Amino acid sequence: MAQIIPIALPTPYMVGDVNVFFVDDERPMLIDTGPPTREAYTILTERLEALGCPVAALKEIVVTHFHPDHVGLAQVLAKEAGIPVRLHPLDLYTLRLSSEKAIGFFDGWDLPPGWDPSQFDTNHWIPEKYRPAGVTFQPLEEGETIVTGSLRFDVVDIPGHSLGHVALWEKKNRWLFTGDTVIPGLAPNPFIYHVEGERVPTLPMYLKSLDRLRRLDAETLYPGHGQPFTDLAAELDATVDHYRQKALEVHAIVREQGPSPLREIAARLYPRQIESQPYMVISKTLGCLDLLERAGLVRSQGENGYYQAAGESEKKNPADALDPWLTYATR
């Protein structure tokens, strides 16, 4: 009988352990692969051996998104198994974005001193020894079904946390693999991404993805971090409430201090984290500003420049104006 076996792997990142899911079926499959470290590789391969499925026996490697704790070992494992890595094309694009394009996008931004542009160079995320030659990437397509035997996994596009983030939906058993889009007890961050120099507003995109997941009748949720859980609606509500509160805080900051640069707004929103976690803080603040701008509550003054309260926003109740942009299912 087919089964799902979670394998928790340690990571060197702030997020802690990451979940890899082994699909024990006629065509064995891994969902995500863990970080590019010797420790993670040893734990994962030994666990697969103990389960009776050495790496060479894998038939599918599917990655929910391109972040290194999820894709880090994918190429090494795929090389050993002689199979491609399945990844959404937009995430493959971001993973292979040249250093100059990735770092140059932020030229001219008034950013905190702790901001390190090298973190956007994805070539440094995965050491060369974990990127062997000859590995191919096969795109994951919306609506595609991956059949492992008795199980059928539908690919669902849920962009936001990354541009090409996907979920896997096993409808028969009502299993949903959410990657980092839904994590119990946390509000995942839709980070800053751009395509050919144009920034993509990821928080509005992310909230649409949450609504899409809300429509699925999932019984068991398998997240990228933390334990499997059952109450999807409660986690979605908590995440939406988090962004509602943060967006209202950003609006209050802009109204109070007048036209302000992104960096100053972020520093007011997260004064303790702005130096230690600038990318996280800037991403969340910019996402809130994108929402507020769509709701007509703030307006920008130049690309990545200053933001100010929109003149007509004085006539609006901020929460009422914002709510339709937080829950797209009612639009």
Side-chain angles (χ1 to χ4, degrees):
M1 180 178 177
Q3 60 180 327
I4 305 299
I5 301 173
I7 303 173
L9 297 177
T11 78
Y13 316 119
M14 186 185 309
V15 71
D17 289 357
V18 65
N19 293 325
V20 171
F21 297 102
F22 172 56
V23 180
D24 187 8
D25 204 358
E26 295 171 32
R27 292 176 50 81
M29 177 171 75
L30 278 188
I31 301 174
D32 290 337
T33 65
T37 67
R38 171 55 58 181
E39 182 183 19
Y41 175 84
T42 300
I43 293 172
L44 178 58
T45 54
E46 289 181 353
R47 184 83 170 100
L48 290 174
E49 287 276 1
L51 291 168
C53 180
V55 172
L58 290 171
K59 300 301 181 185
E60 295 278 3
I61 294 175
V62 178
V63 179
T64 58
H65 62 295
F66 80 101
H67 292 162
D69 51 333
H70 296 264
V71 77
L73 292 175
Q75 294 174 74
V76 167
L77 299 174
K79 182 78 170 180
E80 293 182 28
I83 57 177
V85 177
R86 307 298 310 279
L87 182 69
H88 192 282
L90 278 173
D91 270 18
L92 181 58
Y93 165 83
T94 311
L95 186 64
R96 291 180 167 174
L97 198 62
S98 70
S99 302
E100 293 77 13
K101 284 187 177 180
I103 297 171
F105 176 75
F106 299 96
D107 288 347
W109 286 39
D110 180 19
L111 296 172
W115 183 276
D116 178 11
S118 67
Q119 67 187 297
F120 303 103
D121 184 356
T122 55
N123 291 319
H124 295 161
W125 287 9
I126 303 175
E128 188 173 353
K129 67 179 180 179
Y130 294 103
R131 293 183 278 126
V135 176
T136 60
F137 286 82
Q138 184 177 344
L140 284 171
E141 303 290 349
E142 162 71 20
E144 175 185 358
T145 300
I146 299 171
V147 181
T148 60
S150 63
L151 301 177
R152 301 172 60 86
F153 297 85
D154 295 331
V155 177
V156 182
D157 283 356
I158 49 170
H161 183 67
S162 77
L163 295 181
H165 200 302
V166 301
L168 294 179
W169 170 230
E170 214 293 320
K171 186 175 181 179
K172 179 178 68 175
N173 292 287
R174 294 162 62 194
W175 296 336
L176 183 62
F177 297 79
T178 62
D180 280 0
T181 294
V182 185
I183 300 175
L186 295 175
N189 201 335
F191 292 114
I192 300 169
Y193 298 111
H194 57 95
V195 177
E196 294 304 307
E198 182 173 345
R199 184 175 67 83
V200 180
T202 50
L203 181 53
M205 181 184 291
Y206 174 73
L207 291 166
K208 285 185 179 181
S209 292
L210 295 188
D211 266 352
R212 186 168 197 198
L213 293 181
R214 194 184 292 273
R215 296 185 179 98
L216 299 178
D217 185 25
E219 183 174 272
T220 305
L221 291 300
Y222 294 96
H225 305 273
Q227 296 298 314
F229 62 101
T230 57
D231 195 342
L232 176 60
E235 293 298 336
L236 296 178
D237 289 345
T239 301
V240 171
D241 286 345
H242 172 83
Y243 280 105
R244 175 185 290 107
Q245 180 60 37
K246 289 302 172 186
L248 291 174
E249 288 178 32
V250 169
H251 180 247
I253 290 168
V254 173
R255 287 185 63 180
E256 177 186 332
Q257 65 186 34
S260 306
L262 172 61
R263 178 183 58 80
E264 288 186 12
I265 301 168
R268 284 283 304 276
L269 185 65
Y270 287 105
R272 290 197 297 266
Q273 293 90 349
I274 187 64
E275 295 300 333
S276 61
Q277 304 173 45
Y279 181 48
M280 305 278 284
V281 169
I282 292 286
S283 292
K284 183 167 288 189
T285 305
L286 192 54
C288 290
L289 287 163
D290 285 337
L291 276 181
L292 293 166
E293 195 162 12
R294 280 158 176 71
L297 293 169
V298 305
R299 59 186 176 88
S300 58
Q301 296 181 308
E303 182 66 19
N304 307 320
Y306 282 65
Y307 289 83
Q308 67 180 52
E312 61 272 23
S313 70
E314 298 293 338
K315 305 173 185 177
K316 300 179 179 180
N317 179 300
D320 291 345
L322 192 61
D323 270 354
W325 299 93
L326 288 159
T327 309
Y328 286 83
T330 60
R331 291 179 62 77

